Coordinates of all heavy atoms in Angstrom, one line a residue:
C1 N 77.7 120.0 106.3 CA 76.6 119.2 106.9 C 75.7 120.0 107.7 O 74.5 119.9 107.7 CB 77.2 118.0 107.7 SG 77.8 116.6 106.7
R2 N 76.3 120.9 108.6 CA 75.4 121.7 109.4 C 74.6 122.7 108.6 O 73.4 122.8 109.0 CB 76.3 122.5 110.4 CG 76.9 121.7 111.5 CD 77.6 122.5 112.5 NE 78.2 121.6 113.6 CZ 79.4 121.7 114.0 NH1 80.2 122.7 113.6 NH2 79.8 120.9 115.0
V3 N 75.1 123.3 107.6 CA 74.4 124.2 106.8 C 73.2 123.5 106.1 O 72.1 124.0 106.1 CB 75.3 124.9 105.8 CG1 74.5 125.7 104.7 CG2 76.2 125.9 106.5
L4 N 73.5 122.3 105.6 CA 72.4 121.6 104.9 C 71.4 121.1 105.9 O 70.2 121.1 105.6 CB 73.0 120.4 104.1 CG 73.8 120.7 102.8 CD1 74.5 119.5 102.3 CD2 72.9 121.3 101.8
R5 N 71.9 120.6 107.1 CA 70.9 120.1 108.1 C 70.0 121.3 108.5 O 68.8 121.1 108.6 CB 71.7 119.6 109.3 CG 72.1 118.2 109.3 CD 72.8 117.8 110.6 NE 72.2 118.3 111.8 CZ 72.8 118.9 112.8 NH1 74.2 118.9 112.8 NH2 72.2 119.3 113.8
F6 N 70.6 122.4 108.9 CA 69.7 123.5 109.4 C 68.9 124.1 108.3 O 67.8 124.5 108.5 CB 70.6 124.6 110.0 CG 71.1 124.2 111.4 CD1 72.5 124.0 111.6 CD2 70.2 124.0 112.5 CE1 72.9 123.6 112.8 CE2 70.7 123.6 113.7 CZ 72.1 123.4 113.9
G7 N 69.5 124.1 107.0 CA 68.7 124.6 105.9 C 67.5 123.8 105.6 O 66.4 124.3 105.5
F8 N 67.7 122.5 105.5 CA 66.6 121.6 105.2 C 65.6 121.5 106.4 O 64.4 121.4 106.2 CB 67.1 120.2 104.8 CG 67.4 120.1 103.3 CD1 68.7 119.8 103.0 CD2 66.5 120.2 102.4 CE1 69.1 119.7 101.6 CE2 66.8 120.1 101.0 CZ 68.1 119.8 100.7
G9 N 66.2 121.5 107.6 CA 65.3 121.5 108.8 C 64.4 122.7 108.8 O 63.2 122.5 109.0
G10 N 65.0 123.8 108.7 CA 64.2 125.0 108.7 C 63.1 125.1 107.6 O 62.0 125.5 107.8
L11 N 63.6 124.6 106.4 CA 62.7 124.6 105.2 C 61.5 123.7 105.5 O 60.3 124.1 105.3 CB 63.5 124.1 104.0 CG 62.7 124.0 102.7 CD1 62.6 125.4 102.1 CD2 63.4 123.1 101.7
L12 N 61.7 122.5 106.0 CA 60.7 121.5 106.3 C 59.7 122.0 107.4 O 58.5 121.9 107.3 CB 61.2 120.2 106.6 CG 61.9 119.4 105.4 CD1 62.6 118.2 105.9 CD2 60.8 119.1 104.3
V13 N 60.3 122.6 108.4 CA 59.5 123.0 109.6 C 58.6 124.2 109.1 O 57.4 124.2 109.3 CB 60.3 123.5 110.8 CG1 59.5 124.2 111.8 CG2 61.0 122.3 111.4
F14 N 59.2 125.1 108.3 CA 58.4 126.3 107.8 C 57.3 125.8 106.9 O 56.2 126.3 106.9 CB 59.4 127.2 107.1 CG 58.7 128.3 106.4 CD1 58.1 129.4 107.1 CD2 58.5 128.3 105.0 CE1 57.5 130.4 106.4 CE2 57.9 129.3 104.3 CZ 57.3 130.4 105.0
A15 N 57.7 124.8 106.0 CA 56.7 124.3 105.0 C 55.5 123.6 105.7 O 54.4 123.5 105.1 CB 57.4 123.4 104.0
S16 N 55.8 123.0 106.8 CA 54.7 122.2 107.4 C 53.6 123.0 108.2 O 52.5 122.5 108.2 CB 55.4 121.2 108.4 OG 55.9 121.9 109.6
F17 N 54.0 124.1 108.7 CA 53.0 124.8 109.6 C 51.7 125.1 108.9 O 50.6 124.7 109.5 CB 53.6 126.1 110.1 CG 54.6 126.0 111.2 CD1 55.8 126.7 111.2 CD2 54.4 125.0 112.2 CE1 56.7 126.5 112.2 CE2 55.3 124.9 113.2 CZ 56.4 125.6 113.2
E18 N 51.6 125.8 107.8 CA 50.3 126.2 107.2 C 49.6 124.9 106.7 O 48.3 124.9 106.8 CB 50.5 127.2 106.1 CG 49.2 127.8 105.7 CD 49.4 129.0 104.8 OE1 50.4 129.6 104.8 OE2 48.4 129.3 104.1
K19 N 50.3 123.9 106.3 CA 49.6 122.7 105.8 C 49.0 121.9 107.0 O 48.0 121.3 106.8 CB 50.6 121.8 105.0 CG 51.0 122.5 103.7 CD 51.9 121.6 102.9 CE 53.4 121.9 103.3 NZ 54.3 121.2 102.4
I20 N 49.7 122.0 108.1 CA 49.1 121.3 109.3 C 47.9 122.1 109.8 O 46.9 121.4 110.2 CB 50.2 121.3 110.5 CG1 51.2 120.2 110.1 CG2 49.5 120.9 111.8 CD1 52.4 120.2 111.1
L21 N 47.9 123.4 109.7 CA 46.7 124.2 110.1 C 45.5 124.1 109.2 O 44.4 124.3 109.6 CB 47.2 125.6 110.3 CG 48.2 125.9 111.4 CD1 48.6 127.4 111.4 CD2 47.6 125.5 112.8
H22 N 45.8 123.8 107.9 CA 44.8 123.8 106.9 C 44.8 122.5 106.1 O 45.1 122.5 104.9 CB 44.9 125.0 106.0 CG 44.9 126.3 106.7 ND1 43.8 126.9 107.2 CD2 45.9 127.1 107.0 CE1 44.1 128.0 107.8 NE2 45.4 128.2 107.7
P23 N 44.5 121.4 106.7 CA 44.7 120.1 105.9 C 43.7 119.9 104.8 O 44.0 119.3 103.8 CB 44.4 119.0 107.0 CG 43.7 119.7 108.1 CD 44.1 121.1 108.0
Y24 N 42.5 120.5 104.9 CA 41.5 120.3 103.8 C 42.0 121.1 102.6 O 41.9 120.5 101.5 CB 40.1 120.9 104.3 CG 39.1 120.8 103.2 CD1 38.5 119.5 102.8 CD2 38.7 121.9 102.4 CE1 37.6 119.4 101.8 CE2 37.8 121.8 101.4 CZ 37.2 120.5 101.1 OH 36.3 120.4 100.1
E25 N 42.5 122.3 102.7 CA 43.0 123.0 101.6 C 44.2 122.4 101.0 O 44.3 122.3 99.7 CB 43.3 124.5 102.0 CG 42.1 125.3 102.3 CD 41.6 125.2 103.8 OE1 42.2 124.3 104.5 OE2 40.7 125.9 104.1
F26 N 45.0 121.8 101.8 CA 46.2 121.1 101.3 C 45.8 119.8 100.6 O 46.4 119.4 99.6 CB 47.2 120.8 102.4 CG 48.4 120.1 102.0 CD1 49.2 120.7 101.0 CD2 48.9 119.0 102.6 CE1 50.4 120.2 100.6 CE2 50.1 118.4 102.1 CZ 50.8 119.0 101.1
A27 N 44.7 119.1 101.0 CA 44.2 117.9 100.3 C 43.7 118.3 98.9 O 43.9 117.5 98.0 CB 43.1 117.3 101.1
I28 N 43.1 119.5 98.8 CA 42.7 119.9 97.5 C 43.9 120.1 96.5 O 43.9 119.8 95.4 CB 41.8 121.2 97.6 CG1 40.5 120.8 98.3 CG2 41.5 121.8 96.2 CD1 39.6 122.0 98.7
I29 N 44.9 120.7 97.1 CA 46.1 121.0 96.3 C 46.7 119.6 95.9 O 47.1 119.5 94.7 CB 47.2 121.8 97.1 CG1 46.7 123.2 97.3 CG2 48.5 121.8 96.5 CD1 47.5 124.0 98.3
I30 N 46.7 118.6 96.8 CA 47.3 117.3 96.4 C 46.4 116.7 95.3 O 47.0 116.1 94.4 CB 47.3 116.4 97.7 CG1 48.4 117.0 98.6 CG2 47.7 115.0 97.3 CD1 48.4 116.3 100.0
E31 N 45.1 116.8 95.4 CA 44.2 116.2 94.4 C 44.5 116.9 93.0 O 44.3 116.2 92.0 CB 42.8 116.4 94.8 CG 42.3 115.5 95.9 CD 40.8 115.7 96.3 OE1 40.0 115.9 95.3 OE2 40.5 115.7 97.5
N32 N 44.8 118.1 93.0 CA 45.1 118.8 91.8 C 46.2 118.3 91.0 O 46.3 118.4 89.8 CB 45.3 120.3 92.0 CG 44.0 121.0 92.4 OD1 42.9 120.6 92.2 ND2 44.2 122.2 93.1
Y33 N 47.1 117.6 91.6 CA 48.2 116.9 90.9 C 47.8 115.7 90.1 O 48.5 115.2 89.3 CB 49.3 116.5 91.9 CG 50.2 117.6 92.4 CD1 49.9 118.4 93.5 CD2 51.4 117.9 91.7 CE1 50.8 119.5 93.8 CE2 52.2 118.9 92.0 CZ 51.9 119.7 93.1 OH 52.7 120.7 93.5
R34 N 46.6 115.2 90.4 CA 46.0 114.1 89.7 C 46.8 112.8 89.7 O 47.0 112.1 88.7 CB 45.7 114.5 88.3 CG 44.7 115.6 88.2 CD 44.3 115.9 86.7 NE 43.6 117.2 86.7 CZ 43.4 117.9 85.6 NH1 44.0 117.5 84.5 NH2 42.8 119.0 85.6
V35 N 47.3 112.5 90.9 CA 48.1 111.3 91.1 C 47.4 110.4 92.0 O 47.4 109.2 91.8 CB 49.5 111.6 91.6 CG1 50.3 110.4 91.9 CG2 50.3 112.5 90.6
L36 N 46.7 110.9 93.0 CA 46.0 110.2 94.0 C 44.5 110.5 94.0 O 44.2 111.6 93.6 CB 46.6 110.5 95.4 CG 48.1 110.3 95.6 CD1 48.5 110.9 97.0 CD2 48.4 108.8 95.6
G37 N 43.7 109.6 94.5 CA 42.3 109.9 94.6 C 42.0 110.8 95.8 O 42.9 111.1 96.6
S38 N 40.7 111.2 95.9 CA 40.4 112.1 97.0 C 40.6 111.5 98.4 O 41.0 112.2 99.3 CB 39.0 112.7 96.8 OG 38.0 111.6 96.9
G39 N 40.2 110.3 98.6 CA 40.4 109.6 99.9 C 41.8 109.6 100.3 O 42.2 109.9 101.5
L40 N 42.7 109.1 99.4 CA 44.1 109.0 99.8 C 44.8 110.4 99.9 O 45.7 110.6 100.7 CB 44.9 108.2 98.7 CG 46.3 107.7 99.0 CD1 46.3 107.0 100.4 CD2 46.8 106.9 97.9
S41 N 44.3 111.4 99.1 CA 44.8 112.8 99.2 C 44.5 113.3 100.6 O 45.4 114.1 101.1 CB 44.1 113.7 98.2 OG 44.5 113.3 96.9
R42 N 43.4 113.0 101.2 CA 43.1 113.5 102.6 C 44.1 112.9 103.6 O 44.5 113.6 104.5 CB 41.7 113.2 102.9 CG 40.7 114.0 102.1 CD 39.3 113.8 102.4 NE 38.4 114.5 101.5 CZ 37.3 114.0 100.9 NH1 36.9 112.8 101.3 NH2 36.6 114.7 100.1
W43 N 44.4 111.6 103.5 CA 45.3 111.0 104.4 C 46.7 111.6 104.2 O 47.4 111.9 105.2 CB 45.4 109.5 104.2 CG 44.3 108.8 104.8 CD1 43.1 108.3 104.2 CD2 44.1 108.5 106.2 NE1 42.3 107.7 105.1 CE2 42.9 107.8 106.4 CE3 44.9 108.7 107.3 CZ2 42.5 107.3 107.6 CZ3 44.5 108.2 108.5 CH2 43.3 107.6 108.7
I44 N 47.1 111.8 103.0 CA 48.4 112.4 102.7 C 48.5 113.8 103.2 O 49.5 114.2 103.7 CB 48.7 112.3 101.2 CG1 48.8 110.9 100.7 CG2 50.0 113.1 100.8 CD1 49.9 110.1 101.2
A45 N 47.4 114.5 103.1 CA 47.4 115.9 103.5 C 47.5 116.0 105.0 O 48.0 117.1 105.5 CB 46.1 116.6 103.1
V46 N 47.2 115.0 105.8 CA 47.4 115.0 107.2 C 48.8 114.5 107.6 O 49.5 115.1 108.4 CB 46.3 114.1 107.9 CG1 46.6 114.0 109.4 CG2 44.9 114.8 107.7
W47 N 49.3 113.5 106.9 CA 50.5 112.9 107.3 C 51.8 113.5 106.8 O 52.8 113.6 107.5 CB 50.5 111.4 107.0 CG 49.6 110.6 107.9 CD1 48.3 110.2 107.6 CD2 49.8 110.3 109.3 NE1 47.7 109.6 108.7 CE2 48.6 109.7 109.7 CE3 50.8 110.5 110.2 CZ2 48.5 109.2 111.0 CZ3 50.7 110.1 111.5 CH2 49.5 109.4 111.9
I48 N 51.8 114.0 105.6 CA 53.0 114.6 105.0 C 53.5 115.8 105.8 O 54.7 115.9 106.1 CB 52.8 114.8 103.5 CG1 52.8 113.6 102.7 CG2 53.9 115.8 103.0 CD1 54.2 112.8 102.7

């Protein structure tokens, strides 16, 4: 449990930093998946 907790915790924290600093670029990446529209992609790029 500890290994999984710290592993996933570190992974998520690491993964969040650059996306928090560059939400517009992350919104473009989300739009490229062609699942959400551009308006919703921008919200998701901020909140995820």
Side-chain angles (χ1 to χ4, degrees):
C1 282
R2 283 187 184 136
V3 167
L4 288 171
R5 272 184 39 224
F6 287 112
F8 276 116
L11 181 81
L12 289 171
V13 169
F14 174 75
S16 69
F17 282 139
E18 192 167 337
K19 293 183 270 188
I20 288 172
L21 294 175
H22 305 285
Y24 179 74
E25 291 83 358
F26 186 52
I28 292 170
I29 291 170
I30 293 171
E31 285 180 44
N32 290 338
Y33 280 90
R34 297 183 191 162
V35 175
L36 305 169
S38 63
L40 195 52
S41 294
R42 291 182 187 138
W43 279 101
I44 297 294
V46 171
W47 288 104
I48 287 294

